[in-house]
Amino acid sequence: MAPDNNPFSMSTMSNALQRIRVSGSIPPPGFAPRASSDVSDTRFKRLFNLMTSCEDVGQFKDLISTFDQSELQRMASMLTSDSDYFMGVIRNKYGSRRVQRLLGISDDVDSLFCDAILQRFFDIMTDKFASYVATRAVVVFDRVKKHVMYKNVLYYALDIARSQHGCVALNEVVTDADDPLFRNRLLDVVARNALFLSNDPWGNFVVQHVLKLHDLRCKRNVAVILRGHCVDLSFKKYGSYIVEKLLEAEVSMVMVAVELLKCDGDRLMRLARSEFGNFVVLTALRVTQEMNRMDLFSDLVQKLMPHRHLLLGSHGNNIANLLETRRCSN
């Protein structure tokens, strides 16, 4: 009988490998499996092709459900035996999906994946597809492993936040974190660095995200750090989103409204006429009225009214209409 060259010498894996046509994927550059035999090398290549194939992704869950504990552990051991090999698998869209299926099945398997993730934590958290493996791990790992992951998140938080894909992954961790202490510590990191992150092309999305959580403590902390910078941010597309979020809660709204009132008339008018700033000014008028802060609302109206004609025909046309309605009602 010809030798069985599938990775686990199991009929189920052999059948799976036969069903999945080799797509041309090869292990990543620099990969050198620890086993030295040609048979072992073939098994690693077959496993790589199995994990990264675009075919039969949905059937992978059914396939691994037939594995016993030792077979699952052997598979996880092969996948994590070399960090470059592991990265090559999870950086692939389909490899990432399949590895996510393997997480949370058993503590021994999770231990192997946890070690592999921690070894390349920053690289994984900032990769488009690999990051899904890390964020899934944060959800399904046991408390001990989860806390080790949390520790690494806190250590790399600012660098992860400034990455195109890392900011998305960090937002997922913030949302899914089930440890109140860790969550508050992470929110504090974001709040303390809110000015830096708000001016970053990717970091600003993290600030926006934490402000959507309706955590009043965090929102106030962000507002304190951004005090004196809200007008500058309001001229920018994503900065204006952040300032609008601050206006939605009274604990931070007052700080923003006061800063708008401290602007000289010309600068406030330029803001009201600008492409993004007009939304901030309009939101400030709306929320001060809705929150019954008529002192702030009236002061804003009084400051804008003399320049109403300059708003007509500009991005601030809606502000001009609101001012006209206010003038006619008096």
Side-chain angles (χ1 to χ4, degrees):
M1 179 181 292
D4 186 354
N5 290 328
N6 71 79
F8 309 108
S9 298
M10 297 160 40
S11 60
T12 49
M13 181 59 75
S14 179
N15 291 336
L17 288 169
Q18 291 171 12
R19 286 202 311 271
I20 299 176
R21 294 190 298 273
V22 176
S23 62
S25 298
I26 58 174
F31 163 63
R34 295 179 182 178
S36 58
S37 70
D38 291 339
V39 172
S40 295
D41 184 66
T42 299
R43 289 176 178 177
F44 275 93
K45 289 179 179 178
R46 281 192 172 183
L47 178 59
F48 186 90
N49 289 328
L50 168 68
M51 296 299 292
T52 59
S53 171
C54 63
E55 299 182 36
D56 294 340
V57 177
Q59 295 180 20
F60 185 72
K61 182 179 180 180
D62 296 332
L63 174 65
I64 60 176
S65 69
T66 66
F67 291 2
D68 61 27
Q69 176 62 28
S70 64
E71 292 162 348
L72 284 170
Q73 195 164 349
R74 195 180 314 154
M75 184 179 194
S77 180
M78 288 182 68
L79 286 169
T80 59
S81 61
D82 180 273
S83 64
D84 288 336
Y85 181 83
F86 181 61
M87 285 298 298
V89 171
I90 63 175
R91 276 178 168 155
N92 175 275
K93 177 180 179 179
Y94 305 104
S96 173
R97 289 182 183 179
R98 289 187 172 97
V99 170
Q100 289 175 65
R101 292 284 192 184
L102 293 169
L103 300 177
I105 294 178
S106 80
D107 186 64
D108 290 337
V109 169
D110 282 351
S111 292
L112 291 169
F113 283 120
C114 184
D115 289 343
I117 292 170
L118 293 175
Q119 188 174 356
R120 300 286 292 271
F121 189 79
F122 179 77
D123 294 336
I124 291 173
M125 283 291 288
T126 54
D127 182 83
K128 182 176 182 179
F129 297 118
S131 59
Y132 295 135
V133 173
T135 54
R136 176 63 180 166
V138 169
V139 173
V140 302
F141 278 175
D142 64 27
R143 184 176 59 85
V144 174
K145 296 181 187 66
K146 193 175 293 189
H147 281 193
V148 177
M149 296 280 287
Y150 286 161
K151 184 177 180 180
N152 278 264
V153 170
L154 290 170
Y155 182 81
Y156 290 107
L158 292 181
D159 292 322
I160 292 172
R162 295 164 57 211
S163 160
Q164 178 181 4
H165 304 299
C167 67
V168 177
L170 191 62
N171 287 346
E172 287 293 320
V173 173
V174 171
T175 300
D176 295 334
D178 58 5
D179 183 316
L181 179 60
F182 162 74
R183 193 169 187 265
N184 285 335
R185 289 181 65 188
L186 185 53
L187 292 178
D188 287 346
V189 170
V190 175
R192 284 196 305 269
N193 295 277
L195 181 58
F196 171 65
L197 292 174
S198 295
N199 285 290
D200 184 85
W202 305 116
N204 77 87
F205 290 109
V206 177
V207 180
Q208 289 184 54
H209 182 72
V210 301
L211 292 177
K212 293 176 184 176
L213 299 177
H214 305 296
D215 185 305
L216 294 181
R217 173 178 165 276
C218 177
K219 188 165 286 192
R220 184 185 183 283
N221 289 342
V222 171
V224 168
I225 295 298
L226 295 184
R227 181 186 290 161
H229 301 278
C230 289
V231 173
D232 289 336
L233 286 171
S234 297
F235 279 103
K236 304 173 184 178
K237 180 178 181 179
Y238 297 115
S240 67
Y241 294 162
I242 291 170
V243 178
E244 285 184 71
K245 289 296 178 186
L246 291 175
L247 284 166
E248 292 177 358
E250 188 167 5
V251 66
S252 50
M253 176 275 291
V254 174
M255 296 184 194
V256 178
V258 168
E259 185 173 337
L260 292 176
L261 287 169
K262 286 182 178 179
C263 278
D264 61 63
D266 289 343
R267 192 168 190 226
L268 182 61
M269 188 51 50
R270 282 192 290 110
L271 182 66
R273 287 168 53 89
S274 69
E275 181 179 3
F276 307 116
N278 78 90
F279 294 109
V280 172
V281 175
L282 190 62
T283 300
L285 289 166
R286 175 179 58 80
V287 299
T288 51
Q289 194 170 27
E290 290 175 352
M291 295 180 188
N292 203 31
R293 288 302 305 264
M294 300 311 295
D295 54 333
L296 296 173
F297 175 75
S298 298
D299 288 347
L300 283 169
V301 169
Q302 185 177 354
K303 191 157 189 172
L304 290 164
M305 190 67 81
H307 309 285
R308 177 185 169 277
H309 63 287
L310 297 175
L311 295 170
L312 295 170
S314 73
H315 291 293
N317 200 63
N318 286 335
I319 300 172
N321 293 337
L322 186 151
L323 294 174
E324 177 63 17
T325 301
R326 176 70 176 176
R327 186 177 67 83
C328 293
S329 64
N330 289 337

